[in-house]
Amino acid sequence: MELNRCTVQQPTTAIYRLHMFLHSLIMLALVYYRLSNLFYFENVLTLQAFAWGLITLGEICFIVKWFFGQGTRWRPVVREVFLDNITCQDSQLPALDVMVFTANPKKEPIVDVMNTVISAMALDYPTDKLAVYLADDGGCPLTLYAMEEACSFAKLWLPFCRKYGIKTRCPKAFFSPLGEDDRVLKNDDFVAEMKEIKLKYEEFQQNVNLAGESGKIKGDVVPDRASFIKVINDRKMENKKSADDITKMPLLVYVSRERRFNSRHHFKGGSANALLRVSGIMSNAPYLLVLDCDFFCHDPTSARKAMCFHLDPKLSPSLAYVQFPQVFYNVSKSDIYDVKIRQAYKTIWHGMDGIQGPVLSGTGYFLKRKALYTSPGLKDEYLISPEKHFGSSRKFIASLEENNGYVKQEKLITEDIIEEAETLSTCAYEDGTRWGEEIGYTYNCHLESTFTGYLLHCKGWTSTYLYPERPSFLGCAPVDMQGFSSQLTKWVAALTQAGLSHLNPITYGMKSRIKTIQCLCYAYLMYFSLYSWGMVLHASVPSISLLLGIQVYPEVYDPWFAVYVLAFISTILENMSESIPEGGSVKTWWMEYRALMMMGVSAIWLGGVKAIVEKIIGTQGEKLYLSDKAIDKEKLKKYEKGKFDFQGIGILAVPLITFSALNLVGFMVGANQVILTMKFEALLGQLLVSSFFVFVVITVVIDVLSFLKDS
C-alpha cells in the first residue's frame, strides 16, 4: 500500500510550458530590438544613448529574473498522504526531536513561545518517541520559569486533548475562534473540564506575566553568559510514575548555549548546531521537527504525515526533509502587504517539488538528522576523522557510531550527560571543527535554513512538500509596513549575499549533484533583487526621459510597439494565472501586484543594495536584527481594515515617494507636451509606463505623505 502519492498538475504544466515558449520568443525579440538599435547611435556618450542603455539594462534584469523563474514552473506537483497505510506499530515509529528557537522575550512574547512548546508536546506521536527542546538564545531567566510553568499546565492539557480527540492543541488557538470546531458538539463532562482547563491556562498566563512585570524574575536577554541546560521533564522518570498513555509526557529540555562578547555566535545557525549536539547525546532521534517560536502545531498528525514520506522505501534513502507551508492565522482578506507570500508557498515550492524538492523554509519541516552530516549513499565517511569534523566529545561521537547512526537513549538523563551537553554548547567547542561548513547548519548565510537546504540539494539529497487542507503549523505575520518591509529587506539581503558568494548556484551549484533546473530555481531566489533593479530603472528612466524630451520606446505605429504590448499582457497573464486559480481573485492579484511593485522600489531594492555594499566593504555577517513578533492591537485593526500603517518605515519611504513624484511630474510634463504638439506617437510608451507606476502606488504614496504630515 502506498504511503503517499505525487501528481503532476495538469493542464497547468502544459499551459506553463506553452507560455514559456511564446514568452521567450517575445523576450528574445525585445533583446534584439534594444541591442540592435543601441549600435545605431552615432555618439554613445549622448543622453539619449545613455537613457537607451539604462532602459535596456532594466529590461535585461526583468528577462534574466523571468528566465530563472521558469524552473519553478517546469513541473509543479501536488502530494497527498495516506495515514491509514502506515502499517508499523507506534513502538516501531522512528523517534522525533522537536527543536523550538527563541532569542528575545521583548520581541517574541514568552506566553506565545510557550504555546508553541505545548503544542509540540501535544503532537499525536508516541510519547516515548518524542522529545521537545527549547533553544533560548537570549538566556532569559523568565523564559526558563515560563517553561516550567508550561510543563505544569501541559500535564493537564495533554490528557484533555487526548481524551476528547482535540485537533487544535495549541491552548491559545483552542480558546480563540481557531478552535471553535473543537469546542462544539461535546458532552457536559467536556464543557466542565474545558472550563477548568481554561482557568488553569489563564492562571498560567498570569503567573508568567506577573513574574515578568513585578521584576521577581528577570525578563531581559543575558548577552554574556555560560551555557545552561535543564531537563524540565524526563519521560523515563515520568513513565515510571504512570503507565497510562493518556497522562504520559514527552522529554522536555531547556537549552541556553554559551554566549560571549568576544566570540562569534552565528545567530540561529549557531544555536541550531548547538542544539543538534545537545539533543544528540540526550535523545538522538533520527528525525527533527524545527519550529520558530511563533509557529505552533495546528495539526497533531503532522509528524505522522511527514513519516509517510520518510518511511517510504522509494523516497527515504535520498530524502533529507519534508517541508510544510508557512500559513498565518492573522492574514486579512485584503492582505495589503502580501504577508502570506502566496507566490512562494502556492507556486514556487510546488514547482521545486517536481524537480528535487522545495527550499528549507526556516520552520515547519521534518529533517533527517543524518542529512546534516553526510551525503546520501555514503555511510561512514564522516567517521574517518570524527574529532576533526565533530569535535572532541566522545559521547557525541558515540551517538554517530551506533546502528543507523543513532544511539539508544539511556534510562535516565544523568548529571554527567547534562554536564557533557553544557560542554557541547560552549563557544569554544566548534573551534577547529567542520561545524557550520561541512557539518550541521551552514554559517555562510543569515538565512541558515534556506542555504543549508540548498547545500543539501547540492550534495544530492532531495526534499518533498506537503500542503494539507488543514494547516499543520500556524504563525503570526507582521501587520504593518515597517514589520514586513524590514523582514523582506533582511531576507533579500541574505539571499543576495548567498548569490554573490563562492557557493552560488551558477558557478558552484552547476558543478554539484543538484539538478540543472533546480539550480535555476535557486538562482531565481538568490538573484530576485534583479527585479528591483529593473523596477528602479523603469521607475526613473522613462519619466526623466519625458522631462528631457528623450524617446526610449518605439513609436505607436512601429511594429515593435506591438511587441512591447504583447510582453506586458503576457507578463500580467502569467502573474494572474498563478494567483487567481489558487483560491484568489482579481482583487487578490491586484493587492499582490501592488505590494510587489512597492517593495520592488523600496525593501527589495534596499536589501539588494545592502548586500552589495556589505560584500564590497566586507561586513556581511556582523549584525542581524530580529523581527518583532509582538502584534500591536491598533496596527492589527488598521491592517484588517485594509489601511496602511507606516509608523517606523524610515528610509523605506524615501525611494517610494521619490519615484512616485518623479513619475507623476514626468507624466504631467509629457502629457502637456503631447497636448501642445498633438503628437503622441513618440511618447505614448513612456507615458504609459509612468502612468502605470503612478496608478499602482499613488494611493499608497498619498497615505505615506499624510502619515508623515500628521507625524
Side-chain angles (χ1 to χ4, degrees):
M1 293 186 292
E2 60 181 355
L3 292 171
N4 59 82
R5 182 180 298 158
C6 177
T7 306
V8 178
Q9 295 183 10
Q10 291 292 4
T12 303
T13 301
I15 295 172
Y16 279 174
R17 293 183 182 183
L18 176 61
H19 178 266
M20 287 178 211
F21 174 72
L22 297 176
H23 195 80
S24 61
L25 293 179
I26 299 173
M27 296 298 102
L28 288 173
L30 291 182
V31 171
Y32 170 78
Y33 170 75
R34 283 296 178 188
L35 294 181
S36 62
N37 281 275
L38 187 62
F39 295 109
Y40 287 158
F41 291 102
E42 294 180 1
N43 186 356
V44 294
L45 298 179
T46 61
L47 280 176
Q48 186 171 7
F50 184 63
W52 192 276
L54 287 178
I55 204 69
T56 300
L57 180 61
E59 289 176 3
I60 290 175
C61 286
F62 282 148
I63 292 170
V64 173
K65 176 252 181 188
W66 174 83
F67 172 72
F68 288 151
Q70 298 318 292
T72 67
R73 305 172 79 238
W74 182 251
R75 188 177 178 268
V77 301
V78 290
R79 296 182 187 269
E80 55 183 322
V81 294
F82 307 102
L83 291 176
D84 294 338
N85 290 349
I86 298 179
T87 56
C88 65
Q89 297 179 352
D90 282 0
S91 60
Q92 297 174 312
L93 285 171
L96 177 68
D97 287 346
V98 184
M99 297 162 58
V100 182
F101 295 91
T102 187
N104 189 330
K106 301 297 182 184
K107 293 188 174 184
E108 299 166 337
I110 290 181
V111 172
D112 289 349
V113 176
M114 294 307 122
N115 269 276
T116 299
V117 171
I118 293 169
S119 71
M121 295 174 69
L123 283 171
D124 179 17
Y125 209 72
T127 309
D128 59 344
K129 299 277 187 174
L130 185 65
V132 180
Y133 295 83
L134 177 66
D136 178 17
D137 223 23
C140 175
L142 184 59
T143 302
L144 174 59
Y145 168 77
M147 196 167 178
E148 292 172 332
E149 289 290 306
C151 183
S152 298
F153 172 72
K155 291 178 180 178
L156 301 173
W157 175 250
L158 267 61
F160 172 73
C161 291
R162 291 165 181 162
K163 180 178 179 180
Y164 293 104
I166 302 298
K167 291 182 178 180
T168 308
R169 297 195 177 185
C170 168
K172 179 181 178 180
F174 176 79
F175 294 115
S176 76
L178 289 171
E180 188 173 347
D181 290 343
D182 279 317
R183 299 196 305 271
V184 297
L185 301 176
K186 303 289 184 180
N187 56 33
D188 293 340
D189 291 340
F190 168 80
V191 173
E193 285 191 53
M194 183 180 68
K195 290 180 179 178
E196 183 180 348
I197 288 289
K198 187 174 183 180
L199 289 174
K200 292 295 182 180
Y201 176 66
E202 291 171 349
E203 182 183 334
F204 153 68
Q205 286 181 298
Q206 290 172 0
N207 290 344
V208 174
N209 291 331
L210 287 175
E213 292 169 2
S214 65
K216 177 183 176 183
I217 300 175
K218 292 183 179 180
D220 298 321
V221 169
V222 182
D224 191 79
R225 63 180 189 271
S227 57
F228 177 78
I229 296 171
K230 184 174 182 178
V231 178
I232 308 297
N233 185 79
D234 190 334
R235 63 190 175 197
K236 295 294 182 181
M237 184 70 74
E238 194 75 24
N239 292 344
K240 284 185 177 181
K241 296 179 181 178
S242 174
D244 186 359
D245 288 339
I246 291 182
T247 59
K248 284 182 179 178
M249 295 267 289
L251 174 66
L252 184 63
V253 183
Y254 171 86
V255 178
S256 173
R257 62 172 173 148
E258 182 183 26
R259 291 279 293 265
R260 299 300 180 190
F261 289 125
N262 59 350
S263 298
R264 295 189 68 180
H265 51 82
H266 302 293
F267 310 106
K268 184 181 175 183
S271 180
N273 283 338
L275 196 50
L276 273 175
R277 297 190 293 271
V278 170
S279 63
I281 66 170
M282 286 189 169
S283 52
N284 204 31
Y287 296 100
L288 311 168
L289 166 58
V290 178
L291 296 173
D292 280 345
C293 62
D294 60 329
F295 266 85
F296 59 84
C297 301
H298 189 57
D299 180 0
T301 65
S302 60
R304 294 179 184 269
K305 287 179 178 178
M307 291 308 154
C308 286
F309 297 105
H310 280 301
L311 297 179
D312 187 336
K314 295 179 180 178
L315 296 176
S316 185
S318 63
L319 181 62
Y321 58 90
V322 179
Q323 179 68 59
F324 287 77
Q326 293 185 22
V327 182
F328 304 99
Y329 62 82
N330 62 329
V331 175
S332 69
K333 291 182 179 179
S334 57
D335 190 21
I336 53 178
Y337 306 116
D338 189 25
V339 294
K340 64 179 178 294
I341 322 177
R342 179 211 51 78
Q343 186 188 22
Y345 300 115
K346 282 287 191 176
T347 303
I348 299 176
W349 273 219
H350 281 299
M352 295 181 73
D353 194 17
I355 307 166
Q356 199 171 341
V359 171
L360 199 61
S361 305
T363 185
Y365 60 87
F366 291 82
L367 174 68
K368 183 181 292 180
R369 186 188 291 263
K370 192 176 181 180
L372 294 172
Y373 302 152
T374 185
S375 301
L378 301 178
K379 295 182 178 180
D380 302 321
E381 62 163 5
Y382 53 88
L383 295 177
I384 297 174
S385 52
E387 291 84 2
K388 179 181 177 181
H389 286 84
F390 296 97
S392 58
S393 171
R394 292 185 177 180
K395 280 188 172 65
F396 184 75
I397 292 173
S399 72
L400 305 168
E401 294 175 340
E402 297 293 328
N403 280 338
N404 212 20
Y406 310 103
V407 66
K408 293 180 180 179
Q409 186 194 0
E410 297 182 28
K411 291 182 178 180
L412 290 174
I413 297 176
T414 63
E415 289 298 324
D416 288 343
I417 292 177
I418 294 176
E419 185 177 341
E420 183 74 9
E422 290 180 343
T423 300
L424 286 166
S425 57
T426 57
C427 297
Y429 183 81
E430 292 185 357
D431 293 347
T433 69
R434 308 305 296 170
W435 285 99
E437 297 177 32
E438 297 176 17
I439 303 297
Y441 286 85
T442 181
Y443 297 154
N444 290 290
C445 178
H446 283 332
L447 290 178
E448 71 297 317
S449 295
T450 300
F451 205 62
T452 297
Y454 160 68
L455 294 178
L456 289 175
H457 285 142
C458 287
K459 291 179 179 180
W461 290 103
T462 61
S463 57
T464 60
Y465 184 54
L466 184 64
Y467 201 120
E469 184 176 349
R470 177 186 174 92
S472 293
F473 306 96
L474 282 177
C476 189
V479 294
D480 63 334
M481 180 73 94
Q482 189 275 334
F484 183 65
S485 296
S486 60
Q487 191 176 63
L488 187 59
T489 301
K490 180 177 69 175
W491 289 343
V492 171
L495 286 170
T496 305
Q497 287 173 355
L500 296 174
S501 72
H502 69 286
L503 296 172
N504 68 80
I506 304 301
T507 61
Y508 178 82
M510 289 291 188
K511 298 176 183 178
S512 69
R513 298 173 65 183
I514 196 171
K515 295 181 179 179
T516 302
I517 298 182
Q518 187 82 354
C519 269
L520 291 180
C521 299
Y522 276 110
Y524 176 75
L525 296 172
M526 293 185 193
Y527 303 120
F528 191 80
S529 58
L530 283 172
Y531 169 81
S532 68
W533 290 102
M535 275 298 304
V536 166
L537 289 171
H538 278 76
S540 56
V541 175
S543 53
I544 293 174
S545 297
L546 282 171
L547 295 175
L548 299 176
I550 297 173
Q551 181 182 345
V552 293
Y553 286 102
E555 294 184 354
V556 174
Y557 300 119
D558 189 327
W560 286 106
F561 187 82
V563 177
Y564 273 93
V565 173
L566 285 174
F568 176 78
I569 294 173
S570 177
T571 301
I572 294 296
L573 288 177
E574 177 183 335
N575 199 273
M576 293 180 73
S577 71
E578 294 175 350
S579 177
I580 296 176
E582 296 293 344
S585 62
V586 174
K587 183 180 179 181
T588 304
W589 163 79
W590 175 250
M591 292 295 183
E592 291 178 0
Y593 196 79
R594 182 177 66 172
L596 182 61
M597 286 191 68
M598 287 192 315
M599 298 303 172
V601 296
S602 55
I604 298 174
W605 182 51
L606 291 174
V609 171
K610 178 177 181 289
I612 294 171
V613 171
E614 290 183 347
K615 178 70 175 179
I616 294 172
I617 64 179
T619 60
Q620 56 184 346
E622 297 297 322
K623 292 182 179 180
L624 181 66
Y625 297 99
L626 186 68
S627 301
D628 194 341
K629 295 167 184 175
I631 299 299
D632 184 278
K633 291 183 179 179
E634 291 301 317
K635 291 182 178 181
L636 180 60
K637 287 180 181 178
K638 280 186 178 181
Y639 169 69
E640 289 175 342
K641 292 178 181 179
K643 295 182 178 180
F644 287 89
D645 189 306
F646 301 100
Q647 186 172 358
I649 189 175
I651 193 174
L652 292 171
V654 176
L656 191 60
I657 295 173
T658 301
F659 289 128
S660 298
L662 183 62
N663 278 271
L664 183 59
V665 172
F667 175 77
M668 293 172 66
V669 170
N672 182 62
Q673 186 177 350
V674 168
I675 293 171
L676 291 175
T677 62
M678 296 303 291
K679 293 181 179 180
F680 67 93
E681 297 90 347
L683 299 179
L684 183 61
Q686 286 152 256
L687 285 173
L688 289 174
V689 171
S690 295
S691 62
F692 183 72
F693 184 86
V694 172
F695 175 68
V696 171
V697 302
I698 190 63
T699 55
V700 181
V701 173
I702 291 172
D703 287 344
V704 173
L705 293 173
S706 177
F707 171 78
L708 294 175
K709 181 182 178 181
D710 293 340
S711 299

